[in-house]
Amino acid sequence: MPESKFTSDQAVAVAAACAAHQVDYLFIGKSGAILLGYPAVTQDVDLFLPKDRQNAARMIRALQTIGFKLSATIQKQIRAGADFVQLKRGPFDLDLIHAPDGIPSFDEAKKRSVIQDGFPVANLRDIIASKRASNREKDLVDLLLLEEFRLEYEKRHPPALETAAVKVMRTTTAAKTRSRK
Amino acid sequence: MSQPSRKREDWRKQWRAQCRRQLNRPTLSRIKYGFAYVYKPVLDDSPSRAFGTMAEYRRWCRMKLPRYLGYWPAPAQHAGK
């Protein structure tokens, strides 16, 4: 069984391929947090994509240029915007996520995202909100550590202020999305 | 200060210090040391899989994955914390 490990060369290749194919995406999950400086280890790269057939087609082409061999079935599911797609036999383990828990909208997440040395990464607060919303046993310890990390991270990267109205809208939208799932 | 409280405070101090060290490292170094492959049964046994909804994915995790991998839903008292 291949032992895939995401290397820095592969990270640069992903970012370059996505830029060349004009793919809209964000690193999320623990992989996103690691890019932001979270001192942890993970196996999979998690990429958040908008539900957009054309963007999905561009992502498929970008992945193929860096060595992913995608079956017709998986390509169809990516284009259809399947909420969660796991790719396990490529150059590295990759999850494509169209509807991460706790993040109601790609466009809103993108507005809050950061560019970490050329890598588009979801805002750390969105990453934490998503982990909290996914409610998995494995994330319980991570959440505690992530919150402590956030305090250090935000000393160097203070979050943008938001009005009370914007905050209410954001939390209301997130609650409605959760109740629909 | 009682023993358990002192241990909790030390742990946080050390963790915060580790966070600061990592924040000082360049992004490519974070990637170099941040990804490792560890075989996970069932999860890593298929070349790819897709789920129409996250609810479907969560159901699959609960049905197919061994609990020790941590993909099961957290117990109710921890939910959302």
Side-chain angles (χ1 to χ4, degrees):
Chain A
M1 186 173 299
E3 290 190 4
S4 57
K5 176 190 176 315
F6 189 56
T7 66
S8 47
D9 286 346
Q10 286 168 333
V12 170
V14 164
C18 287
H21 289 81
Q22 298 179 299
V23 180
D24 223 352
Y25 72 105
L26 294 172
F27 281 87
I28 59 165
K30 198 188 271 192
S31 60
I34 286 168
L35 285 173
L36 296 179
Y38 180 57
V41 180
T42 192
Q43 178 172 325
D44 301 342
V45 176
D46 301 318
L47 299 183
F48 180 17
L49 306 179
K51 282 207 181 190
D52 179 299
R53 286 193 81 90
Q54 290 173 336
N55 191 71
R58 292 194 294 268
M59 175 55 97
I60 289 168
R61 285 197 291 276
L63 292 178
Q64 287 170 331
T65 64
I66 58 173
F68 279 87
K69 291 180 179 22
L70 304 173
S71 69
T73 307
I74 278 292
Q75 287 188 44
K76 186 178 171 187
Q77 286 162 324
I78 295 170
R79 276 194 290 269
D83 275 7
F84 192 80
V85 178
Q86 284 181 331
L87 304 176
K88 288 283 179 189
R89 289 288 186 272
F92 50 88
D93 287 353
L94 175 62
D95 293 341
L96 300 177
I97 307 167
H98 284 105
D101 294 316
I103 308 181
S105 147
F106 179 87
D107 289 341
E108 288 300 317
K110 190 174 173 186
K111 282 181 200 164
R112 295 187 290 266
S113 67
V114 299
I115 303 294
Q116 179 67 37
D117 285 332
F119 301 105
V121 186
N123 189 286
L124 181 59
R125 290 189 176 211
D126 280 333
I127 291 172
I128 292 174
S130 183
K131 281 215 167 281
R132 185 166 285 113
S134 70
N135 194 39
R136 297 181 303 188
E137 289 182 324
K138 71 198 280 293
D139 293 326
L140 292 179
V141 172
D142 257 335
L143 279 167
L144 184 58
L145 298 177
L146 274 166
E147 284 292 0
E148 291 293 318
F149 168 70
R150 180 182 64 77
L151 295 173
E152 287 300 329
Y153 176 83
E154 289 183 351
K155 283 182 192 171
R156 303 178 187 215
H157 309 282
L161 294 174
E162 59 182 5
T163 65
V166 167
K167 191 171 183 178
V168 165
M169 274 168 53
R170 181 168 54 79
T171 50
T172 305
T173 308
K176 278 185 185 160
T177 306
R178 275 197 301 275
S179 64
R180 255 186 260 128
K181 283 194 174 169
Chain B
M1 191 181 291
S2 67
Q3 280 283 54
S5 298
R6 179 175 293 170
K7 268 178 109 167
R8 263 201 298 276
E9 192 174 296
D10 285 347
W11 170 84
R12 279 181 205 275
K13 261 193 218 167
Q14 286 170 23
W15 175 244
R16 294 274 200 107
Q18 189 175 348
C19 291
R20 287 191 292 273
R21 286 193 293 274
Q22 191 71 351
L23 284 163
N24 287 336
R25 292 192 176 103
T27 306
L28 293 184
S29 286
R30 297 173 189 171
I31 295 169
K32 183 178 180 183
Y33 297 110
F35 292 84
Y37 177 79
V38 177
Y39 169 69
K40 295 188 187 69
V42 182
L43 206 53
D44 291 340
D45 289 343
S46 174
S48 58
R49 53 177 73 86
F51 301 91
T53 65
M54 292 304 284
E56 189 187 326
Y57 168 61
R58 279 191 287 273
R59 266 195 306 275
W60 181 87
C61 290
R62 177 66 182 81
M63 298 291 295
K64 299 287 187 183
L65 299 182
R67 186 169 188 178
Y68 73 82
L69 290 180
Y71 285 80
W72 288 22
Q77 67 265 31
H78 294 291
K81 287 189 185 164

